[in-house]
Amino acid sequence: MLQAQFFDGVTAYRHEVCISVLDDQQALVIHAESLADPVRWELADLRALRDSSSTKQLTLTRYVSSVDERDPARLIVTDNDFIAWLRATQPDLFRRDVRKRTWLRMAGWGTGAVVAIALMLFVILPGMANILAQAIPIEREVAFGKAVTQQIEWVLSSSNAGMQRCDSPEGVAALDTMLERLTAGRDMHYAIDIQVFGHSEVNAFAAPGGQVVILSALLEEAESPEEVAGVLAHEIGHVERRDPMRQALRAAGAAGLLSMVFGDLAGAAVVGEHLLTASYSREAEVEADRFALEMLATAEVDAAGFANFFTRIEGLEDGDIATPEHLSTHPDSSWRGTQAQQLAESQGGTTAILTPAEWAALQAICD
Amino acid sequence: MDTHHLASEPKSVAARQEPDSLSLFFLVFKTGLLTILTLGIYRFWQTTRIRQYLWGSTSANDSALEYTGTGLEKFIGFLIALVILALYLGVFQMLLFYFGLSMFNVSSSATNPTEQARYLVVVYIHILAVLPLLFYASYQKRRYMMSRTRWCGIRFSMEKGAWGYVIRAIGYRLLTVVTLGALAPLATFKLEQYMAERSYYGDARIKQGGSWPRLYSSLTHLFIGIVILLVCLGIFTWGYNGLATALLCVGGVWVAIGVVYYQVKSFAYMTSHKTLGEEVSFKAEPRTGAIIRIYFIAAVGMGVMSLFIIFIISVMTAIFDFGISSVTVGFIGAALSYIFLFLLFQAMKMVMITQPILGHYVQTFSIINPEPLHQIQQRQADDAVGAEGVADALDVAGAF
Ligand SMILES: [Zn+2]
């Protein structure tokens, strides 16, 4: 006979009870004068509460298969020997009984959640981004693009102390010549605004509103002005197709969703967003390449430069708007090279895009 | 004191909360680590286990509270909320960004009516789309927690009524804003009353007594702080900058203390004027000084810890020279130490701030005339499908 406290789950009255284990070790009987009849609990059905802060007592309840939750009655035992005996002999004491229906519900809603998020990320948000990117007034997009370019400049200068805007008059003139040659006779939506930043990374970006940024290492790495023209045409392709704006809109929508999924685990949300951006941009890259090749062909610029540049510099990353370096996937460099090569072979008369003097000035734009 | 008065004094029972800080620290740390390893999924079980622990260490009349919620039902509630909110919030977020682009248009003057209209749209979208959900979530969270709390084997519960709460919350908050905070006590009183009067312990309903104008005395220190700041503004326009800066600091601190004072005093008033059933009532006597001391000790403790960590890191860097040996090693080292620090401070915050404040509120709470509690009967179980999923999805889940 052990002393214990018992709440019958019907009233809040505390019964001071005596408990005894039956001789066949199958059940436990709870007696008290305040209880109408002794209560019998099978030992195999006993469950104890987990993560309890008290080590001196154990709260017991009973597994009931017929109802959703456990028996609302509670038995509080404080006898150390009895607690130790229960722990030793009852393997199911701390078992959590999850009903099959609960698992099914989880599977159902889990599938629903995955479908809803996938639908959102891959159908609804991209669709909306397309519509809104078309609807946005151009002045507003330009203002936003300038803010983005400034942001890029700030990020770059934090990783490279000597970062500067490069604008030697001869170099700028050479860039203008190149741009004019590429866009001559074309109906352009945007006034392209090219800037060169002194930075050791071989890279180029297109930001919303016709802003294009070229990093100086790309100019130094290029062997001919046609190679630079190829990259520039590719970025203009992004600009004209409004890719940067679309990507920014998509990212804004996805950011809310992903932070909802991962809670306050900021790291996971950021990685998820980068992977997403990479998958979005694959299609955009192919289209920008197509646009670039067509532009080079119309302007009668040798496409061999374009082919060379991408095959030569494996792993060149062109981050568009805030595309992460190692996750962004370009169309396979060899595919891109082959396409450009085919065009180059079919091209008739081409003329140099810059004179040697202009090319030298462009390469020295940062000096 | 005459003996007659003593005899008529009703019996009262004080509540207690006595957790073991060390095991609570390790519980938070351990479950936090599991949360990171599972990319955030374990967070539902983490919250559940912390609640189980805190409830279990809280008792009155020698009987501890019990938390019966499970991580799994919380996770399912979150999935349900995701299905409903994914479509809604993604679209909302993008529209907000789209209209927010107007803020980049610095060239045009702010008096331009279309610009202003666009800006207002941003504000309205925010109010209309997210605020109702936040109020909805806070009601559902309290309802779920009540329905999963037991004392003496008897359930607490709360009636449905989240949307009614949303409408009232928006109305009263709007009133508070329009009156520049002058009607804040009305909002505090009515909203707490709405929740309290839908709450039960077993079959006994809670009643909220008292009246809202009585809450004005709780605003005393907030009012003094604001007056100091206004005086400071006056002095600043007269050109005494040094004096103004000093007053700015005093006023700022006074306002911060005033906010805590209001929370503590309004809680005490509201709780002390609640009754359960016909006869049981409560007394809450939390002290502002005690709460501020907890914050102060935590700030000092965490500050010392931060200095110690900075010291360790600089010693380690000097010894191993991570920066030069390898970029990858350095990156992994940085990520691991970031995770460690995140977990450390999460656990320290629980042990030094969240639990002590909760503990202070519990320790200064007592039940007056608890005798009739024994007759309270169990009430029908409340399924509370969806748990507090919306709160989890919107990340308003709070510390526990
Ligand atoms: Zn590209």
Side-chain angles (χ1 to χ4, degrees):
Chain A
M1 285 293 218
L2 289 166
Q3 300 295 315
Q5 292 176 352
F6 183 66
F7 294 103
D8 58 14
V10 180
T11 69
Y13 185 78
R14 185 206 320 252
H15 300 270
E16 299 294 339
V17 296
C18 292
I19 50 174
S20 54
V21 176
L22 293 180
D23 290 338
D24 60 0
Q25 308 263 310
Q26 292 299 308
L28 176 146
V29 178
I30 303 162
H31 329 257
E33 284 182 15
S34 52
L35 286 171
D37 293 306
V39 178
R40 180 192 158 104
W41 280 5
E42 301 298 320
L43 287 182
D45 288 344
L46 285 185
R47 297 290 181 267
L49 301 189
R50 301 171 75 248
D51 274 329
S52 159
S53 55
S54 172
T55 48
K56 293 188 287 286
Q57 63 177 41
L58 195 65
T59 304
L60 294 171
T61 181
R62 196 169 66 102
Y63 165 68
V64 185
S65 60
S66 60
V67 291
D68 251 4
E69 47 176 12
R70 295 163 164 183
D71 190 325
R74 295 291 183 271
L75 179 68
I76 299 160
V77 289
T78 46
D79 186 275
N80 283 332
D81 295 337
F82 183 63
I83 292 174
W85 180 79
L86 277 179
R87 283 176 183 271
T89 58
Q90 302 304 320
D92 287 344
L93 195 59
F94 288 96
R95 204 177 84 181
R96 273 163 294 183
D97 309 287
V98 180
R99 286 147 57 86
K100 202 175 159 196
R101 214 185 64 179
T102 310
W103 291 120
L104 287 177
R105 273 186 58 193
M106 192 186 77
W109 285 106
T111 315
V114 169
V115 169
I117 287 175
L119 192 71
M120 203 62 206
L121 289 178
F122 298 109
V123 182
I124 297 180
L125 288 182
M128 255 179 81
N130 282 346
I131 295 168
L132 292 179
Q134 300 296 326
I136 193 163
I138 245 167
E139 329 79 78
R140 184 147 299 120
E141 191 183 336
V142 171
F144 175 60
K146 286 202 167 122
V148 169
T149 319
Q150 239 160 36
Q151 190 75 16
I152 291 174
E153 187 178 359
W154 185 79
V155 171
L156 288 177
S157 63
S158 69
S159 71
N160 190 338
M163 228 285 294
Q164 46 153 343
R165 269 174 196 250
C166 302
D167 50 4
S168 79
E170 297 82 6
V172 172
L175 265 183
D176 285 344
T177 313
M178 189 180 270
L179 183 62
E180 242 161 65
R181 168 83 179 272
L182 287 173
T183 56
R186 250 170 209 282
D187 189 17
M188 300 278 290
H189 289 110
Y190 293 90
I192 306 288
D193 178 9
I194 309 173
Q195 297 193 50
V196 179
F197 291 162
H199 195 273
S200 56
E201 199 184 304
V202 179
N203 214 337
F205 308 89
Q211 310 286 315
V212 173
V213 174
I214 297 175
L215 299 186
S216 62
L218 189 143
L219 298 176
E220 285 151 26
E221 205 68 35
E223 285 176 355
S224 74
E226 279 72 21
E227 296 186 1
V228 177
V231 172
L232 187 57
H234 171 91
E235 298 306 333
I236 294 174
H238 282 311
V239 165
E240 287 292 295
R241 298 187 65 252
R242 302 187 174 213
D243 285 337
M245 197 61 237
R246 216 176 318 195
Q247 241 175 43
L249 283 164
R250 273 173 187 163
L257 271 188
L258 291 173
S259 70
M260 205 160 76
V261 175
F262 292 110
D264 52 2
L265 267 192
V270 168
V271 170
E273 204 171 302
H274 279 179
L275 288 171
L276 253 173
T277 318
S279 79
Y280 281 152
S281 54
R282 213 161 294 145
E283 182 207 337
E285 293 305 330
V286 173
E287 288 301 319
D289 274 354
R290 233 172 237 144
F291 180 96
L293 291 174
E294 190 268 330
M295 187 174 231
L296 293 176
T298 316
E300 296 179 341
V301 175
D302 190 358
F306 190 67
N308 274 343
F309 195 69
F310 288 108
T311 39
R312 194 152 43 79
I313 303 167
E314 276 299 317
L316 167 122
E317 306 290 343
D318 96 312
D320 297 313
I321 165 169
T323 308
E325 279 190 51
H326 300 288
L327 294 173
S328 84
T329 320
H330 266 114
D332 197 359
S333 284
S334 60
W335 176 88
R336 183 180 239 173
T338 329
Q339 293 285 312
Q341 204 56 53
Q342 277 170 8
L343 174 67
E345 279 158 18
S346 67
Q347 269 179 315
T350 57
T351 48
I353 194 162
L354 294 181
T355 64
E358 284 171 324
W359 174 229
L362 179 56
Q363 282 193 302
I365 193 168
C366 289
D367 300 336
Chain B
M1 226 181 278
D2 64 326
T3 47
H4 175 75
H5 178 74
L6 265 181
S8 68
E9 183 88 356
K11 197 185 161 223
S12 86
V13 173
R16 298 198 304 195
Q17 185 171 64
E18 288 149 337
D20 170 20
S21 294
L22 202 64
S23 55
L24 179 61
F25 178 89
F26 284 116
L27 176 67
V28 176
F29 193 92
K30 189 175 66 187
T31 51
L33 184 62
L34 283 169
T35 299
I36 288 179
L37 292 178
T38 55
L39 290 177
I41 290 176
Y42 195 78
R43 68 184 186 270
F44 309 102
W45 283 265
Q46 178 182 33
T47 315
T48 301
R49 291 183 64 179
I50 292 172
R51 283 180 192 169
Q52 272 171 357
Y53 189 92
L54 289 175
W55 269 228
S57 66
T58 306
S59 63
N61 218 359
D62 283 333
S63 189
L65 288 181
E66 180 190 336
Y67 183 73
T68 58
T70 65
L72 193 61
E73 74 181 359
K74 215 162 131 56
F75 180 53
I76 294 174
F78 167 73
L79 291 176
I80 295 174
L82 264 192
V83 170
I84 297 162
L85 288 181
L87 306 174
Y88 183 64
L89 276 191
V91 170
F92 156 72
Q93 197 87 13
M94 192 184 279
L95 284 178
L96 195 69
F97 176 73
Y98 177 76
F99 287 108
L101 285 176
S102 65
M103 283 182 269
F104 289 101
N105 201 344
V106 279
S107 57
S108 80
S109 62
T111 49
N112 181 343
T114 47
E115 284 302 306
Q116 273 196 333
R118 193 166 279 115
Y119 191 79
L120 279 180
V121 168
V122 177
V123 176
Y124 284 138
I125 289 181
H126 213 120
I127 290 174
L128 291 176
V130 162
L131 224 51
L133 284 177
L134 291 181
F135 291 133
Y136 178 87
S138 70
Y139 188 92
Q140 288 299 79
K141 179 182 171 174
R142 181 151 152 180
R143 177 162 176 247
Y144 171 71
M145 277 165 63
M146 294 278 280
S147 74
R148 296 300 183 265
T149 302
R150 279 155 186 266
W151 184 58
C152 298
I154 299 291
R155 271 180 220 104
F156 288 82
S157 61
M158 207 161 146
E159 289 172 350
K160 286 179 183 160
W163 290 116
Y165 182 76
V166 169
I167 291 167
R168 283 165 184 80
I170 290 176
Y172 285 120
R173 295 290 148 123
L174 214 60
L175 214 57
T176 307
V177 171
V178 169
T179 58
L180 298 176
L183 285 180
L186 177 69
T188 307
F189 187 92
K190 292 289 180 187
L191 293 179
E192 174 56 29
Q193 186 183 34
Y194 183 86
M195 294 227 219
E197 294 198 335
R198 278 162 183 73
S199 304
Y200 291 82
Y201 172 59
D203 59 354
R205 187 196 272 266
I206 289 178
K207 271 208 258 337
Q208 179 69 61
S211 65
W212 67 271
R214 298 292 296 278
L215 283 179
Y216 274 107
S217 64
S218 316
L219 276 173
T220 319
H221 288 283
L222 196 55
F223 182 72
I224 295 175
I226 290 170
V227 168
I228 294 178
L229 286 183
L230 287 177
V231 169
C232 158
L233 192 70
I235 294 176
F236 194 72
T237 46
W238 280 91
Y240 299 100
N241 287 355
L243 185 61
T245 314
L247 270 181
L248 188 69
C249 295
V250 174
V253 171
W254 209 301
V255 164
I257 292 175
V259 170
V260 177
Y261 183 80
Y262 181 69
Q263 285 167 348
V264 168
K265 289 296 161 191
S266 57
F267 174 84
Y269 180 83
M270 297 304 289
T271 307
S272 302
H273 286 82
K274 284 186 173 86
T275 50
L276 180 67
E278 299 303 319
E279 293 151 286
V280 183
S281 59
F282 311 98
K283 194 159 75 185
E285 298 168 305
R287 295 181 308 277
T288 313
I291 302 287
I292 289 171
R293 192 166 65 233
I294 290 168
Y295 279 122
F296 183 75
I297 292 172
V300 171
M302 290 189 182
V304 169
M305 183 57 110
S306 307
L307 286 179
F308 180 68
I309 287 165
I310 290 170
F311 173 73
I312 296 279
I313 288 177
S314 45
V315 169
M316 298 268 276
T317 324
I319 295 172
F320 295 109
D321 209 353
F322 287 128
I324 294 172
S325 66
S326 153
V327 176
T328 325
V329 171
F331 179 76
I332 293 173
L336 286 181
S337 29
Y338 172 78
I339 290 173
F340 175 76
L341 291 180
F342 174 81
L343 294 174
L344 181 70
F345 280 97
Q346 189 184 41
M348 280 180 79
K349 190 179 156 220
M350 172 58 72
V351 174
M352 300 189 77
I353 300 177
T354 314
Q355 188 280 318
I357 288 179
L358 181 69
H360 179 73
Y361 277 105
V362 170
Q363 302 271 26
T364 53
F365 172 84
S366 48
I367 305 170
I368 297 167
N369 187 28
E371 217 45 52
L373 286 176
H374 295 312
Q375 277 117 49
I376 284 174
Q377 305 269 319
Q378 190 77 283
R379 192 166 176 257
Q380 190 61 41
D382 172 8
D383 203 22
V385 180
E388 48 191 329
V390 177
D392 283 324
L394 296 178
D395 209 10
V396 289
F400 62 85

